Every structure is written in C-alpha cells, then in structure tokens.
Amino acid sequence: MPKVDSKGRIVLPQKIREQLGISPGTSVEVHEEEGKAVVKPEDKPEQILDRMDQIIEEATKTRSPTPYGELDPIAKDHADTVQRQAQQEQSSDQ
C-alpha cells in the first residue's frame, strides 16, 4: 500500500498507472470526491494550458513580480513542455 511522504507525494502502483494510461510527464487532475482523493489523467493539452493560466493568474495576485518578468526556471520548463505537447497533439489531429 502506498504511503504519503513528508512532501505529500504518493507513488501510484504500476498496475493503476497502466490502466489509466499514466506515464512519466502525464498531467493529472487530483480532486476530492465523497471523502476520497480522485486522480484523473488529463488528456487535452488545451485544458492543461487553460488551467496553468488560471493558476498563474491566481498566484500573481498574491506574489510580487518576478525580476525582469521572467518565469522561475522550473515553471518555464513545465510551461514549455505543456506547450510542446499541445503542439504535437494539434499536429497529430490534422
């Protein structure tokens, strides 16, 4: 049985990841439903980008601006990855 570590992380069992199609880099939605944590893989890059925009907008209301308007390197890497995935998804749909 997985345990929550000190940073709040858990490892999903391999069988569950395979059943849900969750692989490294897959974005997931985590929410509470009837007292249980529900993990749902996100399969639409556009929704991921929209959610990222919402998170950034909410965060900027309470944080001071980043010097020179630059993103944190980790946030920039994540945003770049999601944008690449969205572009690949759009290319494969055409």
Side-chain angles (χ1 to χ4, degrees), residues 2 4 9 18-19 22 24 34 37 46-48 51-52 60-61 65 69 74 77 79 83 85-86 89 93:
V4 178
R9 299 176 295 198
E18 290 172 352
Q19 289 173 340
I22 297 174
E34 297 180 12
E46 297 84 19
Q47 289 179 346
I48 296 169
R51 180 65 184 132
M52 283 181 62
T60 56
K61 290 177 184 176
I74 295 171
D77 181 56
Q83 286 178 335
Q85 290 174 344
E89 178 75 20
D93 287 345

Side-chain angles (χ1 to χ4, degrees), residues 8 16 31 61 64 69 76 85:
I16 300 296
H31 66 274
K61 290 177 184 176
S64 59
K76 183 174 182 347
Q85 290 174 344

Side-chain angles (χ1 to χ4, degrees), residues 12-81:
L12 296 175
Q14 182 177 358
K15 182 178 178 181
I16 300 296
R17 292 191 315 265
E18 290 172 352
Q19 289 173 340
L20 294 175
I22 297 174
S23 58
T26 301
S27 292
V28 295
E29 174 189 336
V30 180
H31 66 274
E32 182 273 335
E33 190 173 294
E34 297 180 12
K36 298 177 183 174
V38 177
V39 178
K40 177 182 171 189
E42 184 59 71
D43 58 355
K44 296 182 181 175
E46 297 84 19
Q47 289 179 346
I48 296 169
L49 291 172
D50 289 344
R51 180 65 184 132
M52 283 181 62
D53 287 342
Q54 290 174 354
I55 291 169
I56 291 168
E57 183 177 326
E58 291 169 10
T60 56
K61 290 177 184 176
T62 59
R63 296 180 72 173
S64 59
T66 302
Y68 309 109
E70 295 178 6
L71 287 175
D72 173 273
I74 295 171
K76 183 174 182 347
D77 181 56
H78 184 68
D80 291 344
T81 299

